[in-house]
C-alpha cells in the first residue's frame, strides 16, 4: 500500500481527504493490533494447562464469580466456632508448622489431590527473581520490559514509512487503535485477566501506561495539525469546521483524563479522579467518532468492553445489612455481612459502599476495596468479614459509626451496605494443590492471611488438597493487636486438628510493651506465638525447605504494605539462589498489596 494523497499540497474538503495517506495509516495500526492479539493468544495458550487444571476441580469454573447466600450447611458441631479449645499461654516459638506438630506424625487421611501445574514463575525461578526487581514504585522489571516493548511497537506504528513532521495523522490512528486496549485494561471484569489468569489490579499499570501513550499520540497529532494549518494560514478557517472542533473537544477530554489521573490527584482527591474519569472517558468515545470516522470500529470495541463491565458490575452488586464493630487495638473496623456466605476465593476483594447518612452527604457514592477476611462457606466465621483500617476520612467515619455501637442484631452497629465483587485474587493458582503454605501479613493485611488459612482448612476437611502444613506470620505494632483476632486464631487452630493440617500462627510486634499495650492477661492457645521484633523471613523459608519431605512446591502469600512484599521477595530469591532447586519443591509467591 502507498500514500494516495500528496499532503504537502492538498486542498482538502473532508477530514479523510485532509488526513493524508489514510489507507496506510489504517493498515499499519490495524496490523499492530492484530500483533497484540497474537501475543495475547500465545500467552493464553501458555496459560491453558493451568486454566484447565483449575476448571477441572469440582465447580472450578464458577469459583469466585458471584457473592451469594447458601443455606445448606452440613457442618458438624465439632467443626463449628464452638469448638474453640482451651487457651493455653505460650511464649516465643521459633518453629515451622511442618516440623513441630505432633499430629503431623500420624498418617494423614486420604484426600483428593488437587491438580498442580507449575506457573511460569516457578519453572524459571531465577529469571522470575530478576523480572521482579523493583524499577519504579510498584512497577517491577518485568512490567517495565512489557511497557518498553509496547512503547516500541506503537513508535514503530507511528513512524513506519512516514514521519510525524509530514504525516501527523498517523499519530491519530495510533491513538484510536489503542482505545480498545485502554478500555479493556480499565475494566474490573477483565477478559484479558480471564485469559491469562491474572487479576485486573495486577494489569492496572498497563492500563495507565497505555492510556498515557494514547494521550501522548493524540497530543502529537493535534500539535502537528495545528502547526501545519497555521503555517498554511488556514487555522482560523478549519477550526470552524465541525469535525475539527470535535477533535479539539476530544483532545481536551483526553488531557482532562490525564491530568486528573496523576498520582497526586488519585491519592488525595479520589472522588475527583473517579468522576472525571467516568464522565470524560464516556464523552471521549462519542466525540472522537464525530472527529474521525476511522475511530468508529475501535470505539465500538472499547464501548463493548466498558458496557459489558458495567453490566457485570451491576450483576455482582448486592445490598444487604452489615454489622460494624470497632477493633480499637488495631485501629480498624470489622464489617461483618452474614447474609453473603458463599461465592468468593481467599485473596479476592469486594468494593464496599456504606449506605448511611453517617458517612456524610456523598459517603454512599464512594466504593472502597477490601480483601475478604473469611472463607467462602466457612465454618469458623460465616459470611463476609472485612477488616478496614483507619486510613483517611472515609475509614474514620466508618470507625465512628461502629463506635456508636447502635446494638445491631450481632451486637455492633447495623448499616445497609452495597457490596460489589468479588474481584482479584489468585487466578488459576490453587493453594490447596501445594504441600504447604505460608502467609505473611502486615497490619490489616491479616485479612488475606485469615481467609487463606481458613480456606485451606475447609478444603482439607472436605477431603480436597495436598496441604499438610500452614504457617501464618503476622507483623503488628503492638502485642495487644492480637486481642480482637485471638478468638479467630483459636478457632482456626482448633479447626486445623479436624482438617489434619499442622497450623502455626506467629505474631511479631515491633513496639515496646507498655502498660497500655501488654498481653499479660492474654491466654494464647497452643500453636500461637507472640514474639518481639520482625519475622526473619529467610529463616522461616529455609526451615520450610529443610522439612520438605518431597519435591512438592510451597505456596507463599503476602498481604499488606509493599515493603513486606519486598522483604519476602528478597528472601525467596536468597533461598532459591542457595539451594538445589531440583531436589526440593519451589515457592510460588502471590502478593496482595493494598494499592492500585
Ligand atoms: C485490592 C485492595 C484491597 C484492600 N484491602 C484492604 C483490607 O483488607 N484492609 C484494609 O484496611 N485496607 C485495604 N485496602 C486499602 C483500603 O482500600 C484503603 O485504605 C481505603 O480505601 C482508604 O480509604 P480512606 O478514604 O479512608 O483513606 P484515604 O486517605 O482517602 O486513602 C488512603 C489511601 O487509600 C487509597 N484509596 C482511597 N480510596 C480508595 C479506593 N476507593 N480504591 C482504592 N484505593 C483507595 C488512596 O489512594 C490512598 O493511597 C485495600 C486496597 C486495595 C486496592
Amino acid at each position: 500500500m502507498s500514500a494516495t494523497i500528496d499532503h504537502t499540497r492538498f486542498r482538502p474538503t473532508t477530514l479523510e481527504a485532509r488526513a493524508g495517506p489514510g489507507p496506510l495509516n489504517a493498515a499499519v495500526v490495524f496490523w499492530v493490533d492484530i500483533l497484540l492479539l497474537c501475543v495475547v493468544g500465545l500467552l493464553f495458550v501458555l496459560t491453558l494447562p493451568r486454566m484447565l487444571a483449575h476448571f477441572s476441580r469440582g465447580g472450578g469454573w464458577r469459583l469466585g464469580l458471584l457473592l451469594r447466600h447458601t443455606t445448606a450447611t452440613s457442618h458438624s458441631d465439632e467443626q463449628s466456632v464452638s469448638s474453640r479449645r482451651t487457651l493455653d499461654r505460650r511464649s516465643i516459638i521459633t518453629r515451622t508448622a511442618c516440623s513441630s506438630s505432633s499430629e503431623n506424625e500420624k498418617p494423614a487421611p486420604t484426600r483428593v489431590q488437587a491438580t498442580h501445574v507449575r506457573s511460569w514463575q516457578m519453572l524459571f525461578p531465577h529469571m522470575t527473581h530478576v523480572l521482579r526487581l523493583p524499577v519504579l514504585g510498584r512497577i517491577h522489571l518485568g512490567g517495565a520490559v512489557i511497557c518498553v516493548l509496547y512503547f516500541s511497537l506503537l513508535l514503530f506504528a507511528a513512524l513506519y514509512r512516514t514521519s510525524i513532521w509530514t504525516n501527523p495523522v498517523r499519530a491519530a490512528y495510533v491513538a484510536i487503535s489503542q482505545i480498545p486496549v485502554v478500555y479493556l485494561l480499565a475494566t474490573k471484569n477483565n477478559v484479558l485477566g480471564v485469559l491469562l489468569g491474572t487479576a485486573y489490579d495486577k494489569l492496572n499499570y498497563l492500563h495507565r501506561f497505555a492510556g498515557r501513550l494514547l494521550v501522548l499520540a493524540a497530543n502529537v497529532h493535534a500539535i502537528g495539525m495545528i502547526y501545519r494549518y497555521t503555517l498554511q494560514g488556514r487555522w482560523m478557517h478549519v477550526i470552524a469546521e465541525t469535525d475539527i472542533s470535535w477533535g479539539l473537544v476530544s483532545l481536551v477530554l483526553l488531557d482532562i483524563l490525564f491530568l486528573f489521573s496523576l498520582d497526586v490527584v488519585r491519592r488525595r482527591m479520589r472522588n475527583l479522579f473517579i468522576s472525571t474519569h467516568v464522565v470524560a472517558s464516556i464523552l471521549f468515545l462519542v466525540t472522537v467518532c464525530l472527529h474521525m470516522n476511522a475511530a468508529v470500529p475501535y470505539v465500538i470495541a472499547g464501548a463493548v468492553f466498558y458496557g459489558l463491565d458495567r453490566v457485570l458490575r451491576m450483576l455482582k452488586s448486592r445490598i444487604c445489612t452489615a454489622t460494624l464493630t470497632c477493633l480499637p487495638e488495631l485501629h480498624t473496623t470489622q464489617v461483618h455481612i452474614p447474609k453473603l456466605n458463599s461465592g468468593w476465593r481467599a485473596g479476592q476483594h469486594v468494593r464496599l459502599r456504606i449506605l448511611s447518612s453517617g458517612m456524610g452527604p456523598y459517603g454512599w457514592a464512594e466504593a472502597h476495596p477490601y480483601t475478604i477476611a473469611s472463607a467462602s462457606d466457612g465454618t469458623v466465621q460465616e459470611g463476609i468479614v472485612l477488616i478496614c483500617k483507619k486510613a483517611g476520612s472515609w475509614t474514620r467515619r466508618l470507625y465512628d459509626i461502629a463506635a456508636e455501637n447502635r446494638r445491631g442484631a450481632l451486637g455492633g452497629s447495623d448499616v445497609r451496605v452495597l457490596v460489589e465483587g468479588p474481584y482479584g485474587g489468585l487466578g488459576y493458582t490453587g493453594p490447596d494443590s501445594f504441600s504447604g503454605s505460608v502467609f505473611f501479613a502486615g497490619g490489616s493485611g491479616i485479612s488475606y492471611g485469615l481467609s487463606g488459612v481458613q480456606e485451606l482448612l475447609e478444603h482439607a476437611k472436605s477431603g480436597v488438597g495436598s496441604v499438610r502444613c500452614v504457617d501464618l506470620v503476622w507483623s503488628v505494632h503492638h502485642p495487644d493487636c492480637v486481642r480482637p483476632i485471638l478468638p479467630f486464631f483459636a478457632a482456626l487452630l482448633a479447626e486445623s486438628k479436624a482438617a489434619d493440617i499442622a497450623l502455626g500462627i506467629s505474631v511479631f510486634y515491633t513496639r515496646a510493651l507498655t502498660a497500655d499495650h501488654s498481653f499479660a492477661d492474654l491466654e494464647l492457645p497452643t500453636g500461637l506465638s507472640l514474639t518481639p521484633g520482625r519475622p526473619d523471613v529467610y529463616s522461616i523459608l529455609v526451615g520450610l525447605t529443610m522439612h520438605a519431605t518431597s519435591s512438592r512446591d510451597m505456596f507463599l502469600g503476602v498481604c499488606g504494605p509493599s515493603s513486606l512484599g519486598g522483604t519476602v521477595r528478597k528472601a525467596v530469591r536468597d533461598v532459591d539462589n542457595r539451594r538445589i532447586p531440583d531436589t526440593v519443591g519451589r515457592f510460588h509467591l502471590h502478593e496482595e498489596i493494598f494499592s492500585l
Side-chain angles (χ1 to χ4, degrees), residues 563-592:
S563 56
L564 179 66
T567 309
V568 177
R569 242 178 283 134
K570 182 174 177 310
V572 174
R573 190 172 64 228
D574 291 346
V575 175
D576 270 343
N577 286 342
R578 281 173 210 176
R579 73 193 168 122
I580 307 153
D582 290 335
T583 56
V584 286
R586 293 181 190 169
F587 294 121
H588 177 97
L589 177 61
H590 175 80
E591 294 180 52
E592 283 293 322

Side-chain angles (χ1 to χ4, degrees), residues 245-547:
S245 317
W246 284 122
L248 279 179
V249 176
S250 305
L251 184 72
V252 170
L253 289 169
L254 280 182
D255 288 338
I256 286 176
L257 277 170
F258 170 71
L259 289 173
F260 288 97
S261 61
L262 289 175
D263 249 26
V264 58
V265 184
R266 231 180 42 240
R267 292 193 189 284
R268 304 216 173 149
M269 290 169 273
R270 199 160 182 99
N271 290 343
L272 185 64
F273 156 65
I274 299 280
S275 47
T276 51
H277 230 65
V278 171
V279 173
S281 58
I282 293 173
L283 289 180
F284 169 71
L285 290 183
V286 179
T287 57
V288 75
C289 289
L290 296 170
H291 173 57
M292 210 175 160
N293 285 340
V296 173
Y298 296 107
V299 165
I300 290 175
V304 167
F305 291 136
Y306 186 81
L308 193 66
D309 181 52
R310 287 284 150 182
V311 171
L312 288 172
R313 284 170 73 165
M314 273 196 292
L315 293 176
K316 286 181 147 204
S317 296
R318 307 276 179 272
I319 294 183
C320 24
T321 301
T323 301
L324 310 182
T325 315
C326 280
L327 308 179
E329 297 87 350
L330 283 168
H331 302 286
T332 58
T333 309
Q334 178 188 278
V335 179
H336 184 194
I337 309 164
K339 195 169 165 231
L340 298 175
N341 61 1
S342 186
W344 69 91
R345 293 176 66 202
Q348 287 192 298
H349 64 268
V350 290
R351 288 161 50 79
L352 179 73
R353 279 172 213 266
I354 306 289
L355 309 177
S356 159
S357 55
M359 296 300 288
Y362 304 109
W364 58 269
E366 285 186 41
H368 289 253
Y370 284 99
T371 304
I372 304 175
S374 50
S376 180
D377 301 309
T379 47
V380 171
Q381 193 154 15
E382 200 178 334
I384 287 185
V385 176
L386 308 174
I387 294 176
C388 313
K389 189 180 172 187
K390 268 201 277 182
S393 55
W394 189 86
T395 38
R396 215 172 297 124
R397 289 197 294 265
L398 184 69
Y399 188 87
D400 291 343
I401 297 181
E404 285 173 16
N405 204 355
R406 288 195 233 127
R407 297 217 149 267
L410 294 169
S413 297
D414 280 1
V415 286
R416 296 292 281 169
V417 294
L418 194 153
V419 190
E420 183 197 317
Y423 295 121
L426 282 86
Y428 300 131
T429 303
D432 60 357
S433 67
F434 293 76
S435 62
S437 294
V438 190
F439 294 90
F440 293 96
S444 53
I446 189 61
S447 49
Y448 174 43
L450 290 174
S451 59
V453 172
Q454 202 188 335
E455 186 177 270
L456 288 175
L457 298 183
E458 298 295 341
H459 285 200
K461 279 193 300 178
S462 58
V464 178
S466 39
V467 177
R468 295 286 165 209
C469 59
V470 177
D471 263 349
L472 173 57
V473 181
W474 186 27
S475 300
V476 289
H477 287 319
H478 298 289
D480 57 340
C481 286
V482 81
R483 196 180 297 274
I485 312 286
L486 194 57
F488 210 13
F489 283 157
L492 287 176
L493 287 163
E495 294 280 305
S496 67
K497 310 283 170 198
D500 194 47
I501 283 184
L503 171 65
I505 301 176
S506 317
V507 181
F508 290 84
Y509 57 94
T510 48
R511 306 257 164 98
L513 287 173
T514 61
D516 289 345
H517 299 289
S518 89
F519 62 97
D521 59 322
L522 289 182
E523 284 197 79
L524 304 185
T526 307
L528 172 64
S529 66
L530 206 47
T531 312
R534 291 181 191 279
D536 182 349
V537 178
Y538 178 77
S539 302
I540 293 172
L541 298 187
V542 168
L544 286 174
T545 59
M546 284 168 62
H547 291 99

Side-chain angles (χ1 to χ4, degrees), residues 179-181 183-185 187 189 191 300-310:
I179 290 174
V181 179
Y183 280 70
L184 170 67
L185 289 168
T187 56
N189 300 284
V191 184
I300 290 175
V304 167
F305 291 136
Y306 186 81
L308 193 66
D309 181 52
R310 287 284 150 182

